[in-house]
Amino acid sequence: MHEMALTESIVELIEEESRKQGFSRVRVVRLEIGALSHVEPEAIRFCFEAVTHGGIARGARLDILRIPGEGWCLDCAKTVAVEERFGPCPDCGGYHVQVTGGEDMRVQELEVD
């Protein structure tokens, strides 16, 4: 499960920011997860509880915002919603779609004390 390693990296990032900015507690972690990122939000949620136990983010609420996939259709010459990689354009049915969004995972915001 690569979500465990991803969640551990999120917590390391939070701890590093704590050292830089001097906060001692995290109340809320807002995380963006792209629909095309191959990251399962529920697995991240499960891992988050395990990884934050005893640390600075212990008991923090995890808010996950799912970012939809987006692509540029070369045939239509416009931005379209993408539900899967290598899928057809939802407008013209063509397969010349380059993914332009929804592949990333990032910490959007922290609420801290």
Side-chain angles (χ1 to χ4, degrees):
M1 169 187 327
H2 72 285
E3 282 84 355
M4 182 62 82
L6 291 171
T7 306
E8 288 171 341
S9 294
I10 291 167
V11 171
E12 287 172 11
L13 178 93
I14 292 169
E15 290 171 350
E16 182 179 324
E17 285 304 307
S18 168
R19 287 188 292 277
K20 287 180 187 175
Q21 298 184 30
F23 56 84
S24 59
R25 180 162 158 72
V26 178
R27 295 204 176 276
V28 179
V29 176
R30 288 195 180 83
L31 187 63
E32 292 180 352
I33 300 177
L36 304 176
S37 67
H38 301 291
V39 176
E40 290 297 325
E42 289 310 310
I44 290 286
R45 193 174 306 283
F46 175 81
C47 293
F48 186 78
E49 283 190 39
V51 171
T52 58
H53 182 74
I56 191 169
R58 175 186 65 253
R61 187 178 81 224
L62 178 63
D63 293 342
I64 297 177
L65 176 62
R66 194 75 162 150
I67 304 300
E70 186 177 86
W72 177 257
C73 178
L74 299 170
D75 297 333
C76 293
K78 64 181 179 180
T79 300
V80 295
V82 176
E83 304 238 349
E84 63 181 342
R85 292 180 189 279
F86 310 114
C89 171
D91 291 347
C92 74
Y95 284 87
H96 300 108
V97 179
Q98 292 179 330
V99 174
T100 59
E103 298 178 290
D104 301 326
M105 180 181 83
R106 74 180 191 102
V107 176
Q108 179 191 50
E109 184 178 22
L110 299 174
E111 287 184 22
V112 300
D113 290 336

